[in-house]
Amino acid sequence: MAQKYFVHPTAVVEEEVEIGEGTRIWHFAHVRKGAKIGKNCNIGKDVYIDVGVEIGNNVKIQNGVSVYRGVKVEDDVFLGPHMTFTNDLYPRAFNEDWELVPTLVKKGASIGAHATIVCGVTIGEYAMIGAGAVVTKDVPPFGLVYGNPARLKGFVCYCGRKLKEKIGENENHIIFKCSHCGREVKIRKEDYERYLKEEDL
């Protein structure tokens, strides 16, 4: 039976790895034992996927990214070139009893080139992390963060453009309309209030 995914001859895929149909794993990538990669993913050159990591469907991982143990990546996520995950809050070369701290990247989120995600955070659905950002706390759904440390600078649409036009609100949400694609996006009021506070810092 023909293999339904592509692995470049220079890539290393260890045993007990699950790879979905249509996924492509490119030059010098290394996928460790027990990892799960969904359908139609693109795993770029020099990517490292650690033991037991879960990657959803339709995920793009650009060149030079290491997805360490404890990181979970949901569907439709974009991981930009050379962005960095961590999984230990108190790293020492000599620690033998270090604690694994998990990180979750939710559906549709995008992380820009050379961003650093400090472990223990959740990146919300469709959030946008700017290039070079250092993320030290949770990012809300549709949140736009950048800087060091990263701060909430607004919200983005499903299409990735910044939301500027407020068209209404209800008990729990502020409602925006995207000026690029026309979609409506509901932003939780508590997230919008956090944005206003961080803008004042």
Side-chain angles (χ1 to χ4, degrees):
M1 184 173 157
Q3 193 168 276
K4 294 187 176 178
Y5 53 84
F6 170 79
V7 177
H8 192 271
T10 62
V12 175
V13 177
E14 296 182 9
E15 67 274 11
E16 298 172 37
V17 169
E18 293 179 27
I19 302 173
E21 186 174 346
T23 284
R24 295 169 295 169
I25 298 175
W26 291 101
H27 308 61
F28 308 111
H30 185 178
V31 183
R32 296 289 309 277
K33 180 177 180 177
K36 296 179 181 177
I37 301 172
K39 297 178 180 177
N40 301 314
C41 294
N42 195 64
I43 311 298
K45 178 177 177 285
D46 295 316
V47 167
Y48 175 78
I49 296 175
D50 207 352
V51 173
V53 163
E54 292 182 41
I55 307 282
N57 300 319
N58 308 309
V59 172
K60 270 191 178 177
I61 305 181
Q62 302 291 80
N63 295 353
V65 174
S66 292
V67 186
Y68 292 114
R69 191 159 55 100
V71 176
K72 182 176 180 181
V73 177
E74 294 187 351
D75 296 347
D76 303 320
V77 164
F78 176 88
L79 303 179
H82 301 279
M83 61 76 48
T84 302
F85 288 108
T86 67
N87 64 2
D88 183 0
L89 286 174
Y90 308 102
R92 292 289 195 206
F94 47 81
N95 269 3
E96 293 183 10
D97 61 346
W98 66 281
E99 180 187 349
L100 183 75
V101 180
T103 297
L104 175 61
V105 184
K106 300 193 87 170
K107 179 180 171 68
S110 295
I111 301 178
H114 291 278
T116 298
I117 310 300
V118 176
C119 54
V121 303
T122 296
I123 309 293
E125 294 89 344
Y126 302 99
M128 181 75 71
I129 313 300
V134 178
V135 177
T136 60
K137 54 189 175 182
D138 291 352
V139 179
F142 303 98
L144 169 66
V145 303
Y146 51 87
N148 180 5
R151 286 192 178 142
L152 188 57
K153 298 291 188 177
F155 298 90
V156 297
C157 179
Y158 296 93
C159 73
R161 271 62 168 200
K162 191 169 183 180
L163 295 168
K164 297 173 182 173
E165 185 185 351
K166 274 197 281 186
I167 60 169
E169 60 182 276
N170 58 32
E171 189 179 347
N172 299 312
H173 297 91
I174 307 285
I175 303 164
F176 285 84
K177 184 175 182 181
C178 178
S179 57
H180 179 78
C181 73
R183 288 183 79 168
E184 290 186 10
V185 180
K186 292 180 179 178
I187 303 301
R188 296 182 309 206
K189 281 191 173 175
E190 63 264 33
D191 297 334
Y192 191 73
E193 285 162 12
R194 174 182 156 188
Y195 156 66
L196 295 177
K197 281 181 190 168
E198 294 196 16
E199 276 290 277
D200 291 337
L201 291 175

